Amino acid sequence: DNQCVRLKQGDFKDITRYSIHPVDCAYSFSQQGATEIHVVDLEGAFKGTQKQYATILEIKAATQLTVQCGGGLRNEKAIMNILDSDIDRVVIGSLAIQDPEVVKSLMTSYGVDRFVLAFDIVTDQGYQIAIKGWRKQTAFSLWDMLEEYRDIRNLRILCTDIKRDGMLLGANSALYQKCVNRYPQFLFQASGG
């Protein structure tokens, strides 16, 4: 609903709302020295189609930040819409798991530097990946998907430990160290915690 929020483990019934507007929040980060921002349209992730696109464009216009955004980008047209705008990078989760060939084709067209693949995992269930706003667990593990994209050097991978997300417990450093050790060709972004 065009607000800054924190969910606990992706649960829309457990929301912490912050009084600052998303654009003001992003501007504040930039004034404190941030150069990049990761924006998730949580409503879009839940509903399967982007809902906060205008606000994300406002953030880009109001700041000098490099903006990467995701949430609800589940088809080629939606992804191309973001890539053809002023947004710097697109974050793809569900489609990266369900149709890697489409995602690879888009990377060939737009350049790998415009993409972040989001793998949201349940660590206590064999690193299984969840999609569609974390409501559906797949048969694929994190390692399966990293293998699928292994030949794409300097690909950004955003890996979220769902059990830690929104819990303020700190990042799962052991997981990210394991990722970096196994796949040094990727640029990993830690998420959750």
Side-chain angles (χ1 to χ4, degrees), residues 100 104 107 117 119 142-155 157 181-186 188:
K104 290 175 187 178
M107 285 183 201
L117 301 188
F119 299 137
L142 171 64
W143 314 120
D144 294 333
M145 294 319 301
L146 292 176
E147 276 299 311
E148 176 68 38
Y149 292 95
R150 74 172 300 134
D151 295 331
I152 304 172
R153 299 195 64 74
N154 297 316
L155 175 60
I157 305 289
N181 290 344
R182 286 189 185 187
Y183 296 93
Q185 71 270 34
F186 296 139
F188 284 97

Side-chain angles (χ1 to χ4, degrees), residues 13-79:
K13 294 177 185 145
D14 197 344
I15 300 175
T16 301
R17 297 178 195 280
Y18 299 92
S19 59
I20 191 168
H21 188 274
V23 176
D24 296 332
C25 184
Y27 183 77
S28 173
F29 290 159
S30 71
Q31 293 301 295
Q32 295 174 58
T35 58
E36 299 188 17
I37 190 167
H38 173 77
V39 182
V40 180
D41 177 351
L42 292 172
E43 190 177 9
F46 186 75
K47 293 184 177 174
T49 181
Q50 247 197 352
K51 299 293 183 183
Q52 305 303 327
Y53 181 59
T55 300
I56 294 167
L57 287 177
E58 252 186 277
I59 288 170
K60 180 63 181 175
T63 70
Q64 297 299 310
L65 296 169
T66 297
V67 176
Q68 69 181 38
C69 76
L73 302 174
R74 298 203 184 132
N75 62 61
E76 193 170 358
K77 184 178 178 189
I79 293 165

Side-chain angles (χ1 to χ4, degrees), residues 110-127:
Y110 287 91
V112 70
D113 58 316
R114 303 278 316 272
F115 292 83
V116 180
L117 301 188
F119 299 137
D120 305 324
I121 61 165
V122 183
T123 54
D124 62 354
Q125 295 179 18
Y127 299 101

